[in-house]
Amino acid sequence: MSGTMNTFTMLDIGKTSIIEKPIPTPGANEALVKTTASLICTSDVHTVKGALPVENGRTLGHESVGVIAALGSAVTGFTEGQRVAVNAVTPCFECSYCQRGFTSQCGGMLGGYKYTAQVDGNMAEYFLVPAARANLAPIPDDLADEAAVYACDMLSTGIMGAEHAQISIGDTVVVFAQGAVGLCATIGAKLLGAGRIIAVESIPERIELSKRYGADDIVDFTKGDPVEQIMDLTGGIGADGAIEALGFPQTFEAALACLKAGGTLSNIGYHGENPAPLQLDLPAFGLGMGDKTIRTGLCPGGSDRMRRLFTLMSTGKVDPTPMTTHRFAFADVERAFEMMSNKEDHIVKPLITY
Amino acid sequence: MSGTMNTFTMLDIGKTSIIEKPIPTPGANEALVKTTASLICTSDVHTVKGALPVENGRTLGHESVGVIAALGSAVTGFTEGQRVAVNAVTPCFECSYCQRGFTSQCGGMLGGYKYTAQVDGNMAEYFLVPAARANLAPIPDDLADEAAVYACDMLSTGIMGAEHAQISIGDTVVVFAQGAVGLCATIGAKLLGAGRIIAVESIPERIELSKRYGADDIVDFTKGDPVEQIMDLTGGIGADGAIEALGFPQTFEAALACLKAGGTLSNIGYHGENPAPLQLDLPAFGLGMGDKTIRTGLCPGGSDRMRRLFTLMSTGKVDPTPMTTHRFAFADVERAFEMMSNKEDHIVKPLITY
Amino acid sequence: MSGTMNTFTMLDIGKTSIIEKPIPTPGANEALVKTTASLICTSDVHTVKGALPVENGRTLGHESVGVIAALGSAVTGFTEGQRVAVNAVTPCFECSYCQRGFTSQCGGMLGGYKYTAQVDGNMAEYFLVPAARANLAPIPDDLADEAAVYACDMLSTGIMGAEHAQISIGDTVVVFAQGAVGLCATIGAKLLGAGRIIAVESIPERIELSKRYGADDIVDFTKGDPVEQIMDLTGGIGADGAIEALGFPQTFEAALACLKAGGTLSNIGYHGENPAPLQLDLPAFGLGMGDKTIRTGLCPGGSDRMRRLFTLMSTGKVDPTPMTTHRFAFADVERAFEMMSNKEDHIVKPLITY
Amino acid sequence: MSGTMNTFTMLDIGKTSIIEKPIPTPGANEALVKTTASLICTSDVHTVKGALPVENGRTLGHESVGVIAALGSAVTGFTEGQRVAVNAVTPCFECSYCQRGFTSQCGGMLGGYKYTAQVDGNMAEYFLVPAARANLAPIPDDLADEAAVYACDMLSTGIMGAEHAQISIGDTVVVFAQGAVGLCATIGAKLLGAGRIIAVESIPERIELSKRYGADDIVDFTKGDPVEQIMDLTGGIGADGAIEALGFPQTFEAALACLKAGGTLSNIGYHGENPAPLQLDLPAFGLGMGDKTIRTGLCPGGSDRMRRLFTLMSTGKVDPTPMTTHRFAFADVERAFEMMSNKEDHIVKPLITY
C-alpha cells in the first residue's frame, strides 16, 4: 500500500480542512484499515475549540470502521479485506494499567485515547491500528457498518456509564443529558436491569429517542430545578444511581444531590472545557460518610468488548441507528463538522461514508 | 382476629386436603395477612412426594399475597388493610447469615425457607409473617395481585439465577429448562445484559414463552446432545454463563460442560430428589483450574428486593402473567395441585384466588 | 432494673457534665447494658463544638462495652450478665437501606448513627441497645474489654476505610493522618494485603504507632507538600489507593491528587466542621474520566462484623490497645474529654472504666 | 546469541536428562533470558509421570528468573542485562480470554500455561519469553533471585487461592495441605484479612512452616476426620472459606463439607492425576441452594502481578525463602527432581542455581 489519502485534519484552533497525507505503513504489530464509515464525536469539537491541546496538522476522528488493507508482520489471526471496527481507545494491553483492566488509562492517565490526542485520528481514507491483535474487532456479516460504528465509542462509553452506576435489578437511575452518549447510557441502564430510568433533557427530538431507548420519566431542566423534580418523582427519597453524560459542573452537582445515601454517581461527561474544580456539596455528600460512590471512566477499548456489543446488535437487543440523524459523504465532512459544532438542525450523530 | 380458616395442608406423604385450622395471632414482630392470591410451586410437589421431610399436618404454600389483617405490637410502618406480598423466604434479618447478605441461609443452611419447611405455609385464608417490618412488601396501586405474586419466588429466584451467572454486557448465556423459574432466569439474563440467550427446552408452549421472554436460540435436548448443540451454536467456544433451572444431574453436568474457560455455572435447580452426588467431569472442570465458577442459591428474601421487582413490573419491563396458564378458586386447589403434580395440560403456573 | 445512673451529658454547645438520669427500661426488641468501658471519640468533640446539631441534655458517647443488665421481651439468644460490645452504629437491619447492606445509612443518610445524634449515647452507667438481636456482640472470654471496645468504632471504621480502597495484593496505599481511626486504616490496609503503606503524619508518637501497625514510609506534611513527597516515593506514578482519615479539604484534595489513574480515594474523615464544598481538581480527577473512584462511608454496624473483629484480636492479628494512651475512671470523664478536645499530651485514645 | 545450552528435558514418560539444545533466537515480541535460578514444581513431577501429555524432548520447568540476554525487535522498555522474573503462565494479553482477565486461560482452557505444556520450559540455561513486554517482570535491586523466583508460581497461585476464597475481614479459612502452594495459600489468607486460619496437614516440618506463615490451628487428618475436627474447632458452624491445595477427591469433598452456608471453596489443587469425576455431596452442597460458591483457577500471569508480589517481599510482608528446603546446582537437577518425585527428606521446594 502506498500513495496518498485524504484526511480530515485540524490545521489550527478553530480551523479544519481535508488534507492529503501519505498512506501510512503498518509496523510489526499494527494494521492498516481502509475506512468505510465514521461518526463525528463532540470530543472532536472540543479538540478543535482548543480544549484538548494537540499538534496542528493532526487528523481528527476516533469512531471509524473499515476493511483491513494491510497487516504488520507480527499480526496473526486476521486477513486483508476483513471488515473490522476499531475502538476509540486503542490500548497496548501490555502495560501495568492495561494488565489491571484500566485499558483507557494505558500507560497513564487517559493514555489509551491515542487517535487525535497522540497520533493521527481515523477520519481519513486509511488509518493505522496499534496492537492490532487486540484492537481489531471483526464485524459480523449480519451487522451493517452504520450500526457497528456505534460500538467504537458511543455504546462502549454510554454502557460503561451504566456499568459504573452499580445498578441492582429494579433500581432507579437518572441519566443527565440525552445526547448520543447519554442515550447510550440510557440503553445501558435498561440493559443492566434498572427498574426506572429518569432522563434529564429538554430537546424534543432527544426526549423522543430517550423514551424509545427506555426512559420511563423525563425531567425537563428548563421547567424547574432537576433535583427537586427527581425528588418529587421518587417520593423524596432520591435515586440509586446517576449518570452524568454532559460534562457541566451543574449537572455533576445535581447528579450527586439526586442520589439517596448509598447511591453511585457515574461520570462519563468530559469536564475539560471548564478549568474550575468540581464541587462536592457536603450535605449531598453525606459529609463524606453517606456511602455514596463516585466513579469515572473513559471509553473501554479492546476487541472483546466490541464483539459483545456487536452481539447485542446482531440479536436485536440494541439498535443505535436511530441516533444517526444526518448522513454525509466524506467529501462533505467539513459541513458535517460545522453542523455538529453548532448543534444545527437538532443533530445527534452525523454518519460519514467513504 | 379469631375464628377458623381453611388451609391447604399435607396430611401425609402423597396426601393433601383442605383443612380447617384456627386463625393464628401475630406475635410482637409478626403480621397476619388475609390471602388474596397464591401460586403453586413445584417445590410443594416435591414436598408432598416426600423429598423434603416435613411434619404431617403442615400447611403448604410459599407464594402468596394479600392484605394485612393484624399487626404485632412492635410492627410499625404498616397499616391494616394494606396490600402486601411476602417472599417465599422470610429471614430474620438479624442473625449472622442475614447480616452477611445470605438471607436465604437465615440461621443456617436453607434456614430462610420457613413456610412449609419449618412452619405452616401460606396457601391458606390467612398466614403469619415473621420479622414483618422486613418481610412485608407493599404492592404498588398500579400492580395487580396476579402479577405481584410472581415476585414471591419465581422472579426473585429466576433473576437470582441470572445475577449469580456474573453476566457481562453482551455475553452468551444458556438457561437449562424453561419451566416457570427457568423462564424467569431467561427474563433475568435479558435484564442483566446478556447478548445471546440459549434456552434448552423441548415443550412447544414453553419454547414459545421462552422466545417471548428473550431467548435467541432454542436447544431441544430431544433432538441431540445439548452440549454439542450449544458448542455448534457458539462456534465450538461455549457459553459465558449457564443457569441450571431443573435440578437434574444431567443438566447440571451439561451446564458445566457447555461453559468456556472462565465461565460461571449458576445453579437454581433443587437437587433434593436424587440422593446421588453431583459429578464434576474433570476435563469440563478444567482439572480444577479452568477459572470456572459454580454458584448456588435460594430465593433471596426481604421487602427491598420485592419492591425492586415490583418496579420492573410497574414500568412494564417485566410481565410475568403469561406464565399463568391456569386459574382456580381456592376451593379447587386440590385439583390445581394434582395438575401441577402430573404436569397436565402443559401447565406452567396455576393461580389460586381466594 | 430501676433507679438512677450517672451519664456524661452535653448541656449546651461547649458545655458538658456528669448528670443523673433514670435508668431506662428496654422495649420489646431492646436490651439494657451495664457499661464497663468506653472510649472517647473525636466525633464527641465535634458534637460538643456544635458541628452536629443535637438537643441539649443528650448523653454523649458511642464506643462502649458492658454486660447485659436486662433484655426486652422479644430478644432471644442472649442472657443477662453476658459480656457484650455494641457498635457505634446500631441499625434496625430491617429497612430498605439496611437490607441493601448500607447499615450505617439505616432509614436514610447517616441514620444508623443513633447514639448522641438521635438518642442518648452510651458514656453512662447503663445504656439501651436497639434491635438487640442484631446489635449485641458477645465478647469472647479471651478478649479483654479494653481491647474489645476498639471494635465499636475505631477498628470497624478504619478497616472499612481500607475495604473501600479496593486494595489488590501488593498495592501502594496512602493513609492521610494517623489519629486512632487513621491508625486503624493502616491496620486495615496491612490486613487487606497492601504491599506498601505510606502514612502521612507529623506527630512523633503517632508516627511510631503507625510504623508498628504497618506503615512502610512516613510522609511528614510539615516538611513539604505531601503529594510531591508521595510522587517522589512512587517514582512519579502515584498510589493505588488513598484513605482520607482526617476530614480536612486539603487532605481530601491531596488524597485525590496522589492517586494514579484507576486509583481509589476512600474517605472516612468527617467533613462536617467546614461548610465549604470539597473540590475536585480537574487534572487530578482525570477530567472526570481517569477511572478514579471516590468511596465514602460511616462505621458499619452489626454483631457479625464485631464478631469478626474480635476474631482478629483473639488470634493476635490485631492489637489495638497500644492506642490507649490514657486511662480514666468514669468520675474523671470530664478531664478526659478536655484532654481529647485540646489534644493534650499527645493523647490518642482515652479509655474510661466504670 | 548463538551456540548451545544445557536443558533439563523429559525424554519419555518417567525419564529425564540434561540435554544440549541450540540457544533459541527471540521473535519480534519475544525475549531471551539467561537463567540464574529455578524452582522445581510438583507439576513437573506430574508431567513426567504422564499426567499431562507432552511431546518427548520437551524441556521441563516454569519457575525461573534470570537476566535478559536478547530482545525481539518490537520489544521496548527493557534492556539487556536487566534482572527479570517470568511467571509460569505467559499469556498473550491480546486474546478474548486475556482481555476479560482470564490470562491463565489465554486462547482457551489452561492455554496460558505454555512452558513445558506447549513449548520448551525454562529449566535451561536460556529460555524464551513470549509477549515479552507484558511478561518480563523486572526484579527490584533489593530482592534476591532466590526470593523473587517464588513469585513465578507458588506465591501467585497460592495467593490466588486466597483471593478466590472471597475472604471478609476476620473470616475463618481452612487450607487443605501445606505443601509449597498450600503454604502460599496460608500466606494469602493472612494477607487478605482472615481472622482464623485452620491448616490441614500432618508432616511436622510443614506444620511448623504453616504456623510461621499464619495458621492459627492445625488439623492433622491422620488423627481423625478433618471435617469433624474443623466442625469441632468452629463450634459446629463451619468455615467461611476453604482452599483446596492438594488435588485429591477426598480433600475437595472435605473442603466443600467444612463450609458453612454461604461459604466459598477455592480450588487450586491439580486434579489431573485421577480421571474420576469429583463429587458434590448433596447435603454439603445445600442441595444446590446453599449459597456456596466453588471457584477454580490457574496461576495468574503478567508482570503487574509479579511487581506487586515483589513489593510484598521488598517491604518484608512476605518471605518465601524458608520454603527452600534444599539447594542444587543445575548440574545436579536430576537428583533434585528425584528427591521431589519421591518427597524425600521432607523436601518442600528445591532451588536450582546456574
Side-chain angles (χ1 to χ4, degrees):
Chain A
M1 189 68 42
S2 69
T4 62
M5 62 178 185
N6 286 309
T7 70
F8 181 56
T9 290
M10 174 172 164
L11 302 178
D12 205 341
I13 290 182
K15 194 164 174 197
T16 59
S17 180
I18 291 182
I19 294 291
E20 238 182 46
K21 294 188 181 178
I23 297 175
T25 303
N29 292 307
E30 295 179 326
L32 180 73
V33 171
K34 184 175 195 309
T35 316
T36 56
S38 303
L39 292 166
I40 298 180
C41 183
T42 307
S43 305
D44 290 319
V45 174
H46 291 312
T47 300
V48 172
K49 282 185 183 166
L52 182 74
V54 303
E55 278 179 30
N56 291 342
R58 189 67 57 76
T59 300
L60 293 164
H62 53 263
E63 305 185 36
S64 294
V65 299
V67 294
I68 296 174
L71 291 164
S73 57
V75 182
T76 56
F78 296 89
T79 55
E80 289 180 22
Q82 203 174 357
R83 292 172 64 225
V84 289
V86 178
N87 194 280
V89 158
T90 46
C92 74
F93 277 94
E94 293 173 326
C95 72
S96 185
Y97 294 89
C98 285
Q99 287 188 29
R100 297 184 74 148
F102 298 116
T103 55
S104 43
Q105 316 300 333
C106 173
M109 187 81 87
L110 310 183
Y113 180 50
K114 300 187 198 300
Y115 289 131
T116 304
Q118 301 173 47
V119 298
D120 273 338
N122 59 21
M123 268 198 286
E125 290 173 321
Y126 291 88
F127 66 92
L128 282 182
V129 182
R133 281 195 60 213
N135 287 313
L136 289 173
I139 301 174
D141 290 345
D142 61 6
L143 194 65
D145 286 357
E146 65 185 70
V149 71
Y150 276 92
C152 300
D153 183 353
M154 295 298 98
L155 285 172
S156 186
T157 300
I159 291 175
M160 176 200 73
E163 291 167 319
H164 282 187
Q166 306 189 91
I167 300 168
S168 294
I169 273 287
D171 270 0
T172 296
V173 177
V174 184
V175 186
F176 284 85
Q178 294 291 282
V181 81
L183 288 165
C184 289
T186 298
I187 289 171
K190 186 169 176 199
L191 269 176
L192 287 166
R196 186 183 189 184
I197 301 169
I198 301 172
V200 182
E201 184 53 77
S202 67
I203 301 171
E205 288 80 0
R206 294 182 176 204
I207 288 173
E208 194 181 339
L209 279 169
S210 178
K211 287 180 177 170
R212 176 171 182 164
Y213 283 133
D216 299 294
D217 297 278
I218 303 293
V219 162
D220 182 343
F221 62 90
T222 66
K223 298 191 175 154
D225 177 61
V227 176
E228 281 178 24
Q229 292 184 65
I230 293 162
M231 285 297 162
D232 284 351
L233 284 169
T234 58
I237 290 171
D240 299 292
I243 305 171
E244 209 280 357
L246 188 62
F248 275 26
Q250 299 92 317
T251 44
F252 185 85
E253 289 171 34
L256 184 69
C258 77
L259 290 174
K260 65 169 77 156
T264 299
L265 192 177
S266 167
N267 186 80
I268 53 177
Y270 166 77
H271 291 275
E273 292 217 74
N274 187 335
L278 292 168
Q279 312 257 329
L280 299 173
D281 176 61
L282 284 176
F285 197 46
L287 308 177
M289 305 187 300
D291 269 309
K292 290 195 178 177
T293 297
I294 301 172
R295 295 189 66 175
T296 68
L298 175 66
C299 181
S303 57
D304 183 72
R305 185 173 177 88
M306 302 289 278
R307 179 184 63 74
R308 292 184 280 117
L309 295 170
F310 293 159
T311 302
L312 286 164
M313 291 189 257
S314 289
T315 59
K317 294 184 183 65
V318 170
D319 178 9
T321 56
M323 286 184 278
T324 303
T325 50
H326 296 73
R327 286 156 185 273
F328 299 85
F330 181 58
D332 301 320
V333 64
E334 287 188 82
R335 172 65 190 133
F337 194 78
E338 190 185 15
M339 286 190 72
M340 196 67 176
S341 302
N342 303 330
K343 301 288 176 205
E344 293 175 35
D345 190 30
H346 300 303
I347 195 167
V348 178
K349 278 301 247 193
L351 181 78
I352 311 298
T353 51
Y354 294 78
Chain B
M1 188 67 43
S2 68
T4 62
M5 63 177 185
N6 287 309
T7 69
F8 182 57
T9 291
M10 173 173 165
L11 302 178
D12 205 340
I13 291 181
K15 194 165 173 196
T16 59
S17 181
I18 292 183
I19 295 289
E20 239 180 46
K21 293 187 183 179
I23 297 175
T25 304
N29 292 307
E30 295 179 327
L32 180 72
V33 170
K34 185 174 193 311
T35 316
T36 55
S38 303
L39 292 167
I40 298 179
C41 182
T42 306
S43 305
D44 292 319
V45 174
H46 290 311
T47 299
V48 173
K49 282 186 184 164
L52 182 75
V54 303
E55 280 179 28
N56 291 341
R58 190 65 59 75
T59 300
L60 293 164
H62 54 263
E63 305 186 35
S64 294
V65 300
V67 294
I68 297 174
L71 291 164
S73 57
V75 182
T76 56
F78 296 89
T79 56
E80 289 179 21
Q82 202 173 358
R83 291 172 66 225
V84 290
V86 178
N87 195 280
V89 159
T90 47
C92 74
F93 277 96
E94 293 173 326
C95 71
S96 185
Y97 294 89
C98 286
Q99 288 187 28
R100 297 184 75 148
F102 297 116
T103 56
S104 44
Q105 316 299 333
C106 173
M109 187 82 87
L110 310 183
Y113 180 50
K114 300 187 199 300
Y115 288 131
T116 304
Q118 303 173 46
V119 297
D120 273 337
N122 59 22
M123 266 198 287
E125 290 173 322
Y126 290 87
F127 65 93
L128 284 181
V129 182
R133 281 195 60 212
N135 286 312
L136 289 173
I139 302 174
D141 290 345
D142 61 6
L143 195 64
D145 286 356
E146 64 185 70
V149 71
Y150 276 92
C152 300
D153 184 352
M154 295 299 97
L155 285 172
S156 185
T157 300
I159 291 176
M160 176 198 73
E163 291 167 320
H164 283 186
Q166 307 190 90
I167 301 167
S168 292
I169 274 287
D171 270 359
T172 296
V173 177
V174 184
V175 186
F176 284 85
Q178 295 290 282
V181 79
L183 288 166
C184 289
T186 298
I187 289 172
K190 186 170 176 197
L191 269 176
L192 288 166
R196 185 182 190 184
I197 301 170
I198 301 173
V200 182
E201 184 53 78
S202 67
I203 301 170
E205 289 80 0
R206 295 183 176 204
I207 289 173
E208 193 182 338
L209 279 168
S210 178
K211 288 180 177 169
R212 176 170 181 164
Y213 283 133
D216 299 294
D217 297 278
I218 304 292
V219 162
D220 183 342
F221 62 90
T222 67
K223 299 190 176 154
D225 177 61
V227 175
E228 280 177 25
Q229 292 184 65
I230 294 161
M231 286 299 162
D232 283 350
L233 284 169
T234 58
I237 290 171
D240 300 291
I243 304 172
E244 208 282 357
L246 188 62
F248 275 26
Q250 301 90 319
T251 44
F252 185 85
E253 289 171 36
L256 185 68
C258 76
L259 291 174
K260 65 170 78 155
T264 299
L265 192 177
S266 166
N267 186 80
I268 53 177
Y270 166 77
H271 292 275
E273 292 216 72
N274 188 335
L278 292 168
Q279 312 258 329
L280 299 173
D281 176 63
L282 283 175
F285 197 46
L287 308 178
M289 305 187 302
D291 269 310
K292 290 195 178 178
T293 298
I294 301 173
R295 295 189 66 174
T296 68
L298 174 66
C299 180
S303 56
D304 184 71
R305 184 172 177 88
M306 301 289 278
R307 179 183 63 74
R308 291 183 279 116
L309 293 171
F310 293 159
T311 302
L312 286 164
M313 291 189 258
S314 288
T315 59
K317 293 185 183 65
V318 171
D319 178 9
T321 57
M323 284 184 278
T324 303
T325 50
H326 296 73
R327 287 156 186 271
F328 298 87
F330 180 57
D332 301 320
V333 65
E334 286 187 83
R335 171 65 190 132
F337 194 79
E338 190 186 14
M339 287 191 71
M340 196 68 176
S341 301
N342 303 329
K343 300 287 176 206
E344 294 175 34
D345 192 30
H346 301 304
I347 195 167
V348 178
K349 279 301 249 194
L351 180 78
I352 311 298
T353 52
Y354 294 77
Chain C
M1 189 68 43
S2 68
T4 61
M5 62 179 186
N6 287 309
T7 69
F8 182 56
T9 291
M10 172 173 167
L11 302 179
D12 205 342
I13 291 181
K15 194 165 173 198
T16 59
S17 180
I18 291 183
I19 295 290
E20 238 180 46
K21 293 187 182 179
I23 297 175
T25 304
N29 292 306
E30 295 179 327
L32 180 73
V33 171
K34 185 174 194 312
T35 316
T36 55
S38 304
L39 292 166
I40 298 179
C41 183
T42 307
S43 305
D44 291 318
V45 174
H46 291 312
T47 299
V48 172
K49 282 185 183 165
L52 182 74
V54 303
E55 280 178 29
N56 291 341
R58 189 66 60 73
T59 300
L60 293 164
H62 54 262
E63 304 184 35
S64 294
V65 299
V67 294
I68 297 176
L71 291 164
S73 57
V75 183
T76 56
F78 296 89
T79 55
E80 290 180 21
Q82 203 174 356
R83 291 172 66 223
V84 289
V86 178
N87 195 279
V89 158
T90 47
C92 74
F93 277 95
E94 293 172 326
C95 72
S96 186
Y97 293 90
C98 285
Q99 288 188 29
R100 297 184 76 149
F102 297 116
T103 56
S104 44
Q105 316 298 333
C106 172
M109 186 83 86
L110 310 184
Y113 180 50
K114 299 186 200 301
Y115 288 132
T116 303
Q118 301 173 48
V119 297
D120 272 339
N122 59 21
M123 267 199 285
E125 289 173 322
Y126 290 88
F127 66 93
L128 284 180
V129 182
R133 280 194 61 213
N135 286 313
L136 289 173
I139 301 174
D141 290 346
D142 61 5
L143 195 64
D145 287 356
E146 64 184 71
V149 71
Y150 276 92
C152 300
D153 184 352
M154 295 299 97
L155 285 172
S156 185
T157 300
I159 290 176
M160 176 198 74
E163 290 167 319
H164 282 187
Q166 307 188 89
I167 301 168
S168 293
I169 273 287
D171 271 359
T172 296
V173 177
V174 184
V175 186
F176 284 85
Q178 294 291 282
V181 81
L183 287 166
C184 290
T186 298
I187 288 171
K190 186 169 177 199
L191 269 176
L192 288 165
R196 185 182 190 186
I197 300 170
I198 302 173
V200 182
E201 183 54 77
S202 68
I203 301 171
E205 288 80 358
R206 295 182 176 204
I207 288 173
E208 193 181 340
L209 279 169
S210 178
K211 288 181 177 170
R212 177 169 180 165
Y213 283 133
D216 299 294
D217 298 277
I218 304 292
V219 162
D220 182 343
F221 61 91
T222 67
K223 299 191 175 154
D225 177 62
V227 176
E228 280 177 26
Q229 291 183 65
I230 294 162
M231 287 298 163
D232 283 351
L233 284 169
T234 58
I237 289 172
D240 299 290
I243 304 172
E244 208 282 357
L246 187 63
F248 275 25
Q250 299 91 316
T251 44
F252 184 86
E253 289 171 35
L256 184 68
C258 76
L259 291 174
K260 65 169 78 154
T264 298
L265 192 176
S266 167
N267 187 79
I268 53 176
Y270 166 77
H271 292 275
E273 291 217 74
N274 187 335
L278 292 168
Q279 313 258 329
L280 298 173
D281 176 61
L282 284 175
F285 197 45
L287 309 177
M289 305 186 301
D291 269 309
K292 289 195 179 178
T293 298
I294 301 173
R295 296 190 66 176
T296 68
L298 174 66
C299 180
S303 56
D304 184 71
R305 184 173 177 87
M306 301 290 278
R307 179 184 62 75
R308 291 184 279 117
L309 294 171
F310 293 158
T311 303
L312 287 164
M313 290 189 259
S314 289
T315 59
K317 294 185 183 64
V318 170
D319 177 9
T321 56
M323 286 184 277
T324 302
T325 50
H326 296 73
R327 287 155 184 272
F328 298 86
F330 180 58
D332 301 319
V333 65
E334 287 187 83
R335 172 65 191 131
F337 194 79
E338 190 185 14
M339 286 191 71
M340 196 69 175
S341 302
N342 303 330
K343 301 286 176 208
E344 294 175 34
D345 191 30
H346 301 303
I347 195 166
V348 178
K349 279 301 251 194
L351 180 79
I352 311 297
T353 51
Y354 294 78
Chain D
M1 189 68 43
S2 69
T4 62
M5 63 180 184
N6 287 309
T7 69
F8 182 56
T9 291
M10 172 173 166
L11 300 179
D12 205 341
I13 291 182
K15 193 164 174 197
T16 60
S17 181
I18 292 182
I19 295 289
E20 237 180 49
K21 294 188 181 178
I23 298 174
T25 304
N29 292 306
E30 295 178 326
L32 180 72
V33 171
K34 184 174 194 311
T35 317
T36 56
S38 304
L39 292 166
I40 298 180
C41 183
T42 307
S43 305
D44 291 319
V45 174
H46 291 312
T47 299
V48 173
K49 283 183 184 167
L52 182 75
V54 303
E55 279 178 30
N56 291 341
R58 189 68 58 76
T59 301
L60 293 163
H62 53 263
E63 305 185 36
S64 293
V65 299
V67 295
I68 297 175
L71 292 163
S73 57
V75 182
T76 56
F78 296 89
T79 55
E80 289 180 22
Q82 204 174 355
R83 291 173 65 226
V84 289
V86 178
N87 195 279
V89 159
T90 46
C92 74
F93 277 95
E94 292 173 327
C95 72
S96 187
Y97 294 90
C98 286
Q99 288 188 28
R100 297 185 74 148
F102 298 116
T103 54
S104 42
Q105 316 300 332
C106 173
M109 187 81 87
L110 311 183
Y113 180 50
K114 300 187 199 298
Y115 288 131
T116 304
Q118 302 173 47
V119 298
D120 273 338
N122 58 23
M123 269 198 286
E125 290 174 321
Y126 290 87
F127 66 93
L128 283 182
V129 182
R133 280 195 60 213
N135 287 313
L136 290 173
I139 301 175
D141 290 345
D142 60 6
L143 194 64
D145 286 356
E146 64 184 71
V149 71
Y150 276 92
C152 300
D153 184 353
M154 295 298 99
L155 286 172
S156 186
T157 299
I159 291 176
M160 175 199 74
E163 291 168 319
H164 282 187
Q166 307 188 88
I167 301 167
S168 293
I169 273 288
D171 271 359
T172 296
V173 177
V174 184
V175 186
F176 284 85
Q178 295 290 283
V181 81
L183 288 166
C184 290
T186 298
I187 289 172
K190 185 169 178 198
L191 269 175
L192 288 165
R196 186 182 189 184
I197 301 170
I198 301 172
V200 182
E201 183 54 76
S202 67
I203 300 170
E205 289 79 0
R206 294 182 176 205
I207 288 173
E208 193 182 341
L209 279 168
S210 178
K211 288 181 177 170
R212 176 170 181 165
Y213 283 134
D216 299 294
D217 298 278
I218 303 293
V219 163
D220 182 343
F221 62 90
T222 66
K223 299 190 176 156
D225 177 62
V227 175
E228 280 177 26
Q229 291 185 66
I230 294 162
M231 286 298 160
D232 283 350
L233 284 169
T234 57
I237 290 171
D240 300 290
I243 304 171
E244 209 281 357
L246 188 62
F248 274 26
Q250 300 91 316
T251 44
F252 185 86
E253 289 171 35
L256 185 68
C258 76
L259 290 174
K260 64 169 77 156
T264 299
L265 192 178
S266 167
N267 186 78
I268 53 176
Y270 166 77
H271 292 274
E273 291 216 74
N274 187 335
L278 292 168
Q279 313 257 330
L280 299 172
D281 175 61
L282 284 176
F285 197 45
L287 308 176
M289 305 187 301
D291 269 310
K292 290 195 178 178
T293 298
I294 301 173
R295 296 189 66 175
T296 67
L298 174 66
C299 180
S303 57
D304 183 71
R305 184 173 178 87
M306 302 289 278
R307 178 184 63 76
R308 292 184 279 116
L309 294 171
F310 293 158
T311 302
L312 286 164
M313 290 188 259
S314 289
T315 59
K317 294 184 183 65
V318 171
D319 177 10
T321 56
M323 285 184 279
T324 303
T325 49
H326 296 73
R327 286 156 185 274
F328 297 86
F330 180 58
D332 301 320
V333 65
E334 287 188 82
R335 172 64 192 133
F337 195 79
E338 189 185 15
M339 286 190 71
M340 196 68 175
S341 301
N342 303 330
K343 301 287 178 206
E344 293 174 36
D345 191 29
H346 302 303
I347 194 166
V348 178
K349 278 301 247 194
L351 180 79
I352 311 298
T353 51
Y354 294 78

